[in-house]
Amino acid sequence: MCGKCLHLEKLPVIMDFSPKKINLYLFLKLPSAFWCGVRVRRIDSKQCLVAVKHSWKNQNPFHSMYFAVQAMGAELATGALVMYHIEKSGRKISMLVLNNKATFTKKATGRITFTCHDGLMIEEGIEKTIASQESQTVWMHAVGTNEEGETVSDMHFEWTLKLK
């Protein structure tokens, strides 16, 4: 390329954290979650809502939603908030799930909504990572509820954060 051309690879990438953009990201980078019906419905600095509807393509032999699909929805509810706050920080920070804990309390049928309200907590974790220059871990919580508002699953994910 000539010296006058704009080199796009040198420009910082700022992701628009709209549900539409995150769902496109799912299609391109996490197709198994996309094809199972996992979709971000709402995200802001404090919370993320992810929904998935029970169907033949995500069910177990007992005619309810397979636990792994529920885990994908819950992980996305927490992980999208991590990505949101990393982008907001303007720093290059790696993120990875270190541990998870799950409790399943009711058969998951119909539309299940996973909600994570830990945006402020992850923001603090990222600030600590930047200030200390050391990796940090943050436990985040997502609850899956059915259309009647009953809890069907309760999941916790331990995210590690490290400056690149």
Side-chain angles (χ1 to χ4, degrees):
M1 294 182 94
C2 69
K4 296 179 184 177
C5 295
L6 181 62
H7 297 280
L8 295 177
E9 65 274 2
K10 294 183 181 178
L11 293 176
V13 176
I14 305 297
M15 183 175 175
D16 174 16
F17 273 86
S18 68
K20 185 177 179 180
K21 294 279 183 163
I22 296 171
N23 293 331
L24 176 61
Y25 176 85
L26 278 181
F27 177 74
L28 297 172
K29 300 293 183 181
L30 296 166
S32 59
F34 183 85
W35 292 116
C36 284
V38 177
R39 300 290 187 276
V40 173
R41 295 294 179 211
R42 189 172 9 157
I43 187 168
D44 61 38
S45 65
K46 295 178 185 173
Q47 68 178 355
C48 182
L49 276 67
V50 172
V52 60
K53 187 174 181 182
H54 170 244
S55 71
W56 68 269
K57 60 188 170 185
N58 62 25
Q59 75 178 1
N60 61 31
F62 310 105
H63 304 289
S64 63
M65 191 178 297
Y66 186 53
F67 83 93
V69 176
Q70 292 181 64
M72 285 190 276
E75 181 189 6
L76 181 60
T78 63
L81 279 174
V82 177
M83 291 172 20
Y84 179 97
H85 285 287
I86 287 172
E87 185 70 26
K88 187 177 162 187
S89 77
R91 302 293 297 268
K92 290 188 176 189
I93 299 173
S94 64
M95 57 186 272
L96 184 66
V97 172
L98 183 61
N99 285 298
N100 73 309
K101 299 176 189 174
T103 304
F104 301 92
T105 55
K106 188 167 177 60
K107 198 171 183 175
T109 58
R111 182 173 305 280
I112 307 301
T113 302
F114 298 93
T115 308
C116 178
H117 297 284
D118 294 338
L120 297 177
M121 185 169 50
I122 196 63
E123 183 176 28
E124 290 172 7
I126 289 169
E127 288 172 1
K128 285 181 186 177
T129 301
I130 293 167
S132 70
Q133 303 281 306
E134 295 180 9
S135 64
Q136 301 289 318
T137 62
V138 178
W139 277 96
M140 297 178 73
H141 180 224
V143 176
T145 56
N146 63 17
E147 294 162 306
E148 290 78 36
E150 302 166 313
T151 299
V152 298
S153 55
D154 189 69
M155 300 193 197
H156 299 264
F157 295 89
E158 184 180 21
W159 286 95
T160 60
L161 306 167
K162 184 178 178 183
L163 284 172
K164 290 183 182 180

